[in-house]
PDB file of all heavy atoms in Angstrom:
ATOM      1  N   TYR A 381     -29.039  21.067 -10.033  1.00 82.00           N
ATOM      2  CA  TYR A 381     -29.291  19.823  -9.317  1.00 82.00           C
ATOM      3  C   TYR A 381     -29.308  19.947  -7.795  1.00 82.00           C
ATOM      4  O   TYR A 381     -30.068  19.228  -7.139  1.00 82.00           O
ATOM      5  CB  TYR A 381     -28.261  18.763  -9.724  1.00 82.00           C
ATOM      6  CG  TYR A 381     -28.361  18.334 -11.167  1.00 82.00           C
ATOM      7  CD1 TYR A 381     -27.362  17.579 -11.763  1.00 82.00           C
ATOM      8  CD2 TYR A 381     -29.471  18.683 -11.939  1.00 82.00           C
ATOM      9  CE1 TYR A 381     -27.453  17.186 -13.100  1.00 82.00           C
ATOM     10  CE2 TYR A 381     -29.562  18.300 -13.264  1.00 82.00           C
ATOM     11  CZ  TYR A 381     -28.552  17.561 -13.834  1.00 82.00           C
ATOM     12  OH  TYR A 381     -28.647  17.175 -15.139  1.00 82.00           O
ATOM     13  N   PRO A 382     -28.453  20.754  -7.163  1.00 79.00           N
ATOM     14  CA  PRO A 382     -28.413  20.742  -5.694  1.00 79.00           C
ATOM     15  C   PRO A 382     -29.751  20.959  -5.021  1.00 79.00           C
ATOM     16  O   PRO A 382     -29.980  20.477  -3.910  1.00 79.00           O
ATOM     17  CB  PRO A 382     -27.435  21.880  -5.373  1.00 79.00           C
ATOM     18  CG  PRO A 382     -26.542  21.946  -6.562  1.00 79.00           C
ATOM     19  CD  PRO A 382     -27.420  21.632  -7.725  1.00 79.00           C
ATOM     20  N   THR A 383     -30.690  21.675  -5.673  1.00 81.00           N
ATOM     21  CA  THR A 383     -32.005  21.870  -5.057  1.00 81.00           C
ATOM     22  C   THR A 383     -32.772  20.563  -4.947  1.00 81.00           C
ATOM     23  O   THR A 383     -33.626  20.418  -4.070  1.00 81.00           O
ATOM     24  CB  THR A 383     -32.813  22.875  -5.886  1.00 81.00           C
ATOM     25  OG1 THR A 383     -32.887  22.416  -7.248  1.00 81.00           O
ATOM     26  CG2 THR A 383     -32.141  24.249  -5.857  1.00 81.00           C
ATOM     27  N   HIS A 384     -32.477  19.602  -5.837  1.00 86.00           N
ATOM     28  CA  HIS A 384     -33.137  18.300  -5.773  1.00 86.00           C
ATOM     29  C   HIS A 384     -32.427  17.346  -4.806  1.00 86.00           C
ATOM     30  O   HIS A 384     -32.909  16.227  -4.608  1.00 86.00           O
ATOM     31  CB  HIS A 384     -33.148  17.657  -7.161  1.00 86.00           C
ATOM     32  CG  HIS A 384     -33.854  18.468  -8.201  1.00 86.00           C
ATOM     33  ND1 HIS A 384     -35.227  18.508  -8.331  1.00 86.00           N
ATOM     34  CD2 HIS A 384     -33.371  19.304  -9.166  1.00 86.00           C
ATOM     35  CE1 HIS A 384     -35.566  19.301  -9.324  1.00 86.00           C
ATOM     36  NE2 HIS A 384     -34.451  19.801  -9.856  1.00 86.00           N
ATOM     37  N   LEU A 385     -31.309  17.784  -4.229  1.00 90.00           N
ATOM     38  CA  LEU A 385     -30.520  16.909  -3.360  1.00 90.00           C
ATOM     39  C   LEU A 385     -30.545  17.364  -1.902  1.00 90.00           C
ATOM     40  O   LEU A 385     -29.664  17.009  -1.132  1.00 90.00           O
ATOM     41  CB  LEU A 385     -29.066  16.857  -3.847  1.00 90.00           C
ATOM     42  CG  LEU A 385     -28.848  16.251  -5.240  1.00 90.00           C
ATOM     43  CD1 LEU A 385     -27.413  16.488  -5.699  1.00 90.00           C
ATOM     44  CD2 LEU A 385     -29.154  14.759  -5.234  1.00 90.00           C
ATOM     45  N   ASP A 386     -31.523  18.156  -1.537  1.00 90.00           N
ATOM     46  CA  ASP A 386     -31.567  18.671  -0.164  1.00 90.00           C
ATOM     47  C   ASP A 386     -31.714  17.545   0.848  1.00 90.00           C
ATOM     48  O   ASP A 386     -30.996  17.491   1.859  1.00 90.00           O
ATOM     49  CB  ASP A 386     -32.726  19.670  -0.019  1.00 90.00           C
ATOM     50  CG  ASP A 386     -32.488  20.943  -0.805  1.00 90.00           C
ATOM     51  OD1 ASP A 386     -31.308  21.221  -1.125  1.00 90.00           O
ATOM     52  OD2 ASP A 386     -33.465  21.647  -1.120  1.00 90.00           O
ATOM     53  N   PHE A 387     -32.645  16.634   0.576  1.00 91.00           N
ATOM     54  CA  PHE A 387     -32.840  15.525   1.514  1.00 91.00           C
ATOM     55  C   PHE A 387     -31.603  14.627   1.558  1.00 91.00           C
ATOM     56  O   PHE A 387     -31.196  14.167   2.636  1.00 91.00           O
ATOM     57  CB  PHE A 387     -34.069  14.717   1.102  1.00 91.00           C
ATOM     58  CG  PHE A 387     -34.396  13.608   2.055  1.00 91.00           C
ATOM     59  CD1 PHE A 387     -35.000  13.863   3.268  1.00 91.00           C
ATOM     60  CD2 PHE A 387     -34.083  12.291   1.744  1.00 91.00           C
ATOM     61  CE1 PHE A 387     -35.290  12.838   4.156  1.00 91.00           C
ATOM     62  CE2 PHE A 387     -34.361  11.264   2.616  1.00 91.00           C
ATOM     63  CZ  PHE A 387     -34.975  11.537   3.830  1.00 91.00           C
ATOM     64  N   PHE A 388     -31.023  14.374   0.407  1.00 93.00           N
ATOM     65  CA  PHE A 388     -29.804  13.562   0.370  1.00 93.00           C
ATOM     66  C   PHE A 388     -28.684  14.240   1.149  1.00 93.00           C
ATOM     67  O   PHE A 388     -27.939  13.582   1.892  1.00 93.00           O
ATOM     68  CB  PHE A 388     -29.384  13.357  -1.090  1.00 93.00           C
ATOM     69  CG  PHE A 388     -28.129  12.550  -1.253  1.00 93.00           C
ATOM     70  CD1 PHE A 388     -28.176  11.169  -1.322  1.00 93.00           C
ATOM     71  CD2 PHE A 388     -26.891  13.165  -1.312  1.00 93.00           C
ATOM     72  CE1 PHE A 388     -27.018  10.418  -1.461  1.00 93.00           C
ATOM     73  CE2 PHE A 388     -25.726  12.430  -1.458  1.00 93.00           C
ATOM     74  CZ  PHE A 388     -25.796  11.045  -1.526  1.00 93.00           C
ATOM     75  N   THR A 389     -28.523  15.542   0.998  1.00 92.00           N
ATOM     76  CA  THR A 389     -27.459  16.262   1.711  1.00 92.00           C
ATOM     77  C   THR A 389     -27.654  16.172   3.215  1.00 92.00           C
ATOM     78  O   THR A 389     -26.698  15.954   3.977  1.00 92.00           O
ATOM     79  CB  THR A 389     -27.450  17.729   1.265  1.00 92.00           C
ATOM     80  OG1 THR A 389     -27.312  17.794  -0.151  1.00 92.00           O
ATOM     81  CG2 THR A 389     -26.307  18.482   1.914  1.00 92.00           C
ATOM     82  N   THR A 390     -28.887  16.320   3.654  1.00 92.00           N
ATOM     83  CA  THR A 390     -29.163  16.219   5.084  1.00 92.00           C
ATOM     84  C   THR A 390     -28.840  14.834   5.622  1.00 92.00           C
ATOM     85  O   THR A 390     -28.331  14.688   6.735  1.00 92.00           O
ATOM     86  CB  THR A 390     -30.644  16.545   5.349  1.00 92.00           C
ATOM     87  OG1 THR A 390     -30.943  17.828   4.809  1.00 92.00           O
ATOM     88  CG2 THR A 390     -30.932  16.540   6.843  1.00 92.00           C
ATOM     89  N   ARG A 391     -29.108  13.822   4.812  1.00 93.00           N
ATOM     90  CA  ARG A 391     -28.928  12.436   5.262  1.00 93.00           C
ATOM     91  C   ARG A 391     -27.470  11.996   5.236  1.00 93.00           C
ATOM     92  O   ARG A 391     -27.022  11.275   6.134  1.00 93.00           O
ATOM     93  CB  ARG A 391     -29.781  11.519   4.370  1.00 93.00           C
ATOM     94  CG  ARG A 391     -29.570  10.036   4.580  1.00 93.00           C
ATOM     95  CD  ARG A 391     -30.060   9.567   5.933  1.00 93.00           C
ATOM     96  NE  ARG A 391     -29.882   8.140   6.072  1.00 93.00           N
ATOM     97  CZ  ARG A 391     -28.759   7.533   6.431  1.00 93.00           C
ATOM     98  NH1 ARG A 391     -27.679   8.269   6.682  1.00 93.00           N
ATOM     99  NH2 ARG A 391     -28.713   6.228   6.549  1.00 93.00           N
ATOM    100  N   PHE A 392     -26.703  12.421   4.223  1.00 94.00           N
ATOM    101  CA  PHE A 392     -25.373  11.843   4.001  1.00 94.00           C
ATOM    102  C   PHE A 392     -24.230  12.852   4.096  1.00 94.00           C
ATOM    103  O   PHE A 392     -23.096  12.490   3.804  1.00 94.00           O
ATOM    104  CB  PHE A 392     -25.320  11.167   2.624  1.00 94.00           C
ATOM    105  CG  PHE A 392     -26.172   9.942   2.508  1.00 94.00           C
ATOM    106  CD1 PHE A 392     -27.378   9.981   1.824  1.00 94.00           C
ATOM    107  CD2 PHE A 392     -25.785   8.751   3.091  1.00 94.00           C
ATOM    108  CE1 PHE A 392     -28.171   8.860   1.719  1.00 94.00           C
ATOM    109  CE2 PHE A 392     -26.566   7.613   2.985  1.00 94.00           C
ATOM    110  CZ  PHE A 392     -27.775   7.667   2.301  1.00 94.00           C
ATOM    111  N   LYS A 393     -24.492  14.100   4.485  1.00 93.00           N
ATOM    112  CA  LYS A 393     -23.400  15.073   4.540  1.00 93.00           C
ATOM    113  C   LYS A 393     -22.360  14.688   5.593  1.00 93.00           C
ATOM    114  O   LYS A 393     -21.147  14.832   5.371  1.00 93.00           O
ATOM    115  CB  LYS A 393     -23.953  16.467   4.848  1.00 93.00           C
ATOM    116  CG  LYS A 393     -22.890  17.555   4.750  1.00 93.00           C
ATOM    117  CD  LYS A 393     -23.409  18.918   5.170  1.00 93.00           C
ATOM    118  CE  LYS A 393     -23.537  19.006   6.670  1.00 93.00           C
ATOM    119  NZ  LYS A 393     -23.796  20.384   7.131  1.00 93.00           N
ATOM    120  N   GLU A 394     -22.781  14.183   6.712  1.00 93.00           N
ATOM    121  CA  GLU A 394     -21.837  13.785   7.759  1.00 93.00           C
ATOM    122  C   GLU A 394     -20.908  12.685   7.271  1.00 93.00           C
ATOM    123  O   GLU A 394     -19.700  12.701   7.549  1.00 93.00           O
ATOM    124  CB  GLU A 394     -22.607  13.326   8.993  1.00 93.00           C
ATOM    125  CG  GLU A 394     -21.708  12.949  10.165  1.00 93.00           C
ATOM    126  CD  GLU A 394     -22.499  12.508  11.376  1.00 93.00           C
ATOM    127  OE1 GLU A 394     -23.745  12.574  11.319  1.00 93.00           O
ATOM    128  OE2 GLU A 394     -21.879  12.095  12.377  1.00 93.00           O
ATOM    129  N   ARG A 395     -21.459  11.731   6.518  1.00 95.00           N
ATOM    130  CA  ARG A 395     -20.624  10.651   5.978  1.00 95.00           C
ATOM    131  C   ARG A 395     -19.628  11.197   4.966  1.00 95.00           C
ATOM    132  O   ARG A 395     -18.468  10.788   4.932  1.00 95.00           O
ATOM    133  CB  ARG A 395     -21.523   9.592   5.334  1.00 95.00           C
ATOM    134  CG  ARG A 395     -20.774   8.518   4.549  1.00 95.00           C
ATOM    135  CD  ARG A 395     -19.762   7.790   5.412  1.00 95.00           C
ATOM    136  NE  ARG A 395     -19.014   6.794   4.651  1.00 95.00           N
ATOM    137  CZ  ARG A 395     -17.932   6.198   5.098  1.00 95.00           C
ATOM    138  NH1 ARG A 395     -17.437   6.493   6.290  1.00 95.00           N
ATOM    139  NH2 ARG A 395     -17.322   5.291   4.354  1.00 95.00           N
ATOM    140  N   ILE A 396     -20.053  12.125   4.122  1.00 95.00           N
ATOM    141  CA  ILE A 396     -19.166  12.683   3.109  1.00 95.00           C
ATOM    142  C   ILE A 396     -17.999  13.411   3.759  1.00 95.00           C
ATOM    143  O   ILE A 396     -16.840  13.233   3.368  1.00 95.00           O
ATOM    144  CB  ILE A 396     -19.959  13.623   2.174  1.00 95.00           C
ATOM    145  CG1 ILE A 396     -20.960  12.821   1.343  1.00 95.00           C
ATOM    146  CG2 ILE A 396     -19.016  14.391   1.248  1.00 95.00           C
ATOM    147  CD1 ILE A 396     -21.905  13.679   0.531  1.00 95.00           C
ATOM    148  N   THR A 397     -18.269  14.227   4.758  1.00 94.00           N
ATOM    149  CA  THR A 397     -17.191  14.975   5.415  1.00 94.00           C
ATOM    150  C   THR A 397     -16.262  14.058   6.203  1.00 94.00           C
ATOM    151  O   THR A 397     -15.068  14.352   6.330  1.00 94.00           O
ATOM    152  CB  THR A 397     -17.785  16.032   6.346  1.00 94.00           C
ATOM    153  OG1 THR A 397     -18.693  15.402   7.273  1.00 94.00           O
ATOM    154  CG2 THR A 397     -18.542  17.081   5.561  1.00 94.00           C
ATOM    155  N   SER A 398     -16.784  12.940   6.698  1.00 94.00           N
ATOM    156  CA  SER A 398     -15.919  12.014   7.445  1.00 94.00           C
ATOM    157  C   SER A 398     -14.996  11.227   6.533  1.00 94.00           C
ATOM    158  O   SER A 398     -13.974  10.702   6.981  1.00 94.00           O
ATOM    159  CB  SER A 398     -16.764  11.039   8.266  1.00 94.00           C
ATOM    160  OG  SER A 398     -17.506  10.171   7.421  1.00 94.00           O
TER     161      SER A 398
END
Side-chain angles (χ1 to χ4, degrees):
Y381 294 168
T383 56
H384 301 281
L385 296 170
D386 292 339
F387 184 76
F388 179 87
T389 304
T390 305
R391 172 68 178 83
F392 292 104
K393 187 185 75 169
E394 183 180 356
R395 171 57 182 168
I396 293 172
T397 55
S398 66

